[in-house]
Amino acid sequence: MLNLRSLLCLAFAFLSLTGGQQVLAADIPASVRAMIDAAMEEKDPKAMDLVVKLARKTNPNSVEEINSLYSRFKQTRAKQAKSEARKRELAVRRAGVFDIWKGKAELGAYLSTGNSRDVGGTIAINLQRKGLDWTHSIKTKADYKSSDGSTSRERYELAYQPRYNINERTFTYGLMQFERDRITGFNSRLSVSTGAGFTPIKEEGLELSLEAGPAYRRTDYVEDETTNHLAGRFGMKMDWKVAGHVSFVQDFAAFAEKNNNTISSTTGLEVGLNSKLKTRFSYAVEYDSNPDDDSETTDTMTRFTLVHAF
């Protein structure tokens, strides 16, 4: 995307070129050369493409020299990109177990419907470590509300997911997930899964990944006995940069086991305030096909939070 400096250079060059300046063969006018030099300094390939396109169109007698400058720019950028990639790879190889982790802390309020109708607080911390082939993700989330000494909302989640990239679009994964929600009807639920995944869409600003595999689930119910079942799991994740600092995210996971199916879906819209801080509006649905007798099958949660990257 062109920044202010590039736009000013474009405007200056355009005004100069439309002022009737005569161009000699193989010579680039000073204003055009200044425009190209400014685009090179910005190191923005998109800006450079637009500048070169405009320069070629308005200076047909100087196309050869313009192409020469453009070729030099691309070669320089390719060398820089290769050098930066080597530095990143070396840094990852030398990193220790507790290095190169990145994270997000989320804090805000929620409105729930279903087994409880409340306005309360929510907090989440997500950590991720990207290596050359492996990606490790740790996610935590807590919702809690107490009114007049009585707990009306208490849900905790903790998940660890390693992922091994076979190639650019195919991967295998593992998952260990713990949940606690006594209001819904279980003291604890442990889910362990492994499987394979595929990324059908992977382009600038948009990525969609799908994963599926077998799972094992152990659920300790509040009013019933503990169950242990094999299950199947399907997951989907989409990240879409809609425009500028606005992003759309979708997380979906479903477990199918004997006598019980669970679905969790979170749809979110994020707006960046700066490089580290963004606001997030999300709507989550939790479905349990076989809850306790006094519990409803579906809970919904509307959250408004601030997200800080670290």
Side-chain angles (χ1 to χ4, degrees), residues 1 5 26 42 61 71 73 77-78 89 103 107 113 116 131 171 173 175 207 211 218 247 271 282 295-296 307 310:
M1 181 179 292
R5 181 174 179 179
E42 295 297 334
N61 295 328
S71 178
F73 169 79
R77 288 295 296 156
E89 180 178 343
L107 179 65
T113 65
S116 62
F171 60 90
Y173 77 91
L175 174 67
E207 182 170 328
E211 53 191 37
R218 177 183 175 87
S247 299
V271 180
S282 63
S295 301
E296 297 185 22
V307 183
F310 58 90

Side-chain angles (χ1 to χ4, degrees), residues 14 25-26 78 132 139 159 163 188 250 278 299 304:
F14 181 78
L132 300 178
K139 298 182 179 181
R163 168 172 160 172
S188 66
Q250 174 68 55
K278 64 178 68 174
D299 284 335
F304 181 79

Side-chain angles (χ1 to χ4, degrees), residues 96-285:
V97 176
F98 300 103
D99 297 328
I100 65 174
W101 285 89
K102 294 184 178 181
K104 295 180 180 179
E106 187 173 348
L107 179 65
Y110 70 82
L111 171 65
S112 69
T113 65
N115 289 291
S116 62
R117 300 178 183 274
D118 297 306
V119 175
T122 182
I123 184 172
I125 298 177
N126 299 329
L127 302 174
Q128 188 176 76
R129 185 185 191 275
K130 283 189 175 183
L132 300 178
D133 299 314
W134 285 91
T135 298
H136 300 270
S137 299
I138 299 175
K139 298 182 179 181
T140 66
K141 186 192 300 180
D143 298 318
Y144 183 83
K145 183 177 185 297
S146 178
S147 178
D148 297 327
S150 176
T151 300
S152 56
R153 173 72 181 181
E154 183 182 17
R155 182 178 179 87
Y156 306 105
E157 298 178 25
L158 172 64
Y160 167 62
Q161 184 169 4
R163 168 172 160 172
Y164 178 76
N165 296 317
I166 299 174
N167 53 46
E168 187 177 355
R169 292 184 179 271
T170 308
F171 60 90
T172 59
Y173 77 91
L175 174 67
M176 289 180 286
Q177 179 176 296
F178 172 83
E179 302 167 85
R180 176 182 174 86
D181 191 339
R182 291 179 57 83
I183 305 301
T184 298
F186 57 89
N187 293 309
S188 66
R189 174 180 285 152
L190 176 65
S191 303
V192 180
S193 177
T194 186
F198 180 65
T199 307
I201 303 176
K202 190 174 185 178
E203 56 189 50
E204 185 176 0
L206 178 61
E207 182 170 328
L208 172 67
S209 61
L210 309 173
E211 53 191 37
Y216 163 78
R217 305 193 88 188
R218 177 183 175 87
T219 305
D220 176 19
Y221 290 99
V222 174
E223 301 292 342
D224 206 343
E225 62 182 11
T226 299
T227 62
N228 297 272
H229 293 300
L230 293 176
R233 178 183 178 272
F234 172 78
M236 181 192 74
K237 181 177 178 62
M238 183 176 71
D239 289 300
W240 176 28
K241 187 175 182 179
V242 180
H245 299 290
V246 180
S247 299
F248 174 85
V249 294
Q250 174 68 55
D251 284 302
F252 177 88
F255 287 90
E257 60 181 296
K258 182 180 179 181
N259 300 326
N260 191 37
N261 300 316
T262 62
I263 295 174
S264 63
S265 175
T266 301
T267 304
L269 187 66
E270 299 178 346
V271 180
L273 303 177
N274 54 45
S275 60
K276 294 290 185 180
L277 189 65
K278 64 178 68 174
T279 60
R280 189 172 195 261
F281 177 81
S282 63
Y283 181 76
V285 177

Side-chain angles (χ1 to χ4, degrees), residues 20-65:
Q21 183 177 8
Q22 297 296 320
V23 180
L24 299 176
D27 288 337
I28 301 179
S31 58
V32 178
R33 181 59 185 260
M35 176 177 66
I36 295 176
D37 289 343
M40 286 184 174
E41 290 179 5
E42 295 297 334
K43 299 179 181 180
D44 186 344
K46 291 185 178 180
M48 188 63 178
D49 290 345
L50 289 174
V51 167
V52 168
K53 182 178 180 180
L54 178 61
R56 286 171 177 163
K57 185 175 182 180
T58 54
N59 297 269
N61 295 328
S62 304
V63 169
E64 185 176 345
E65 191 172 352

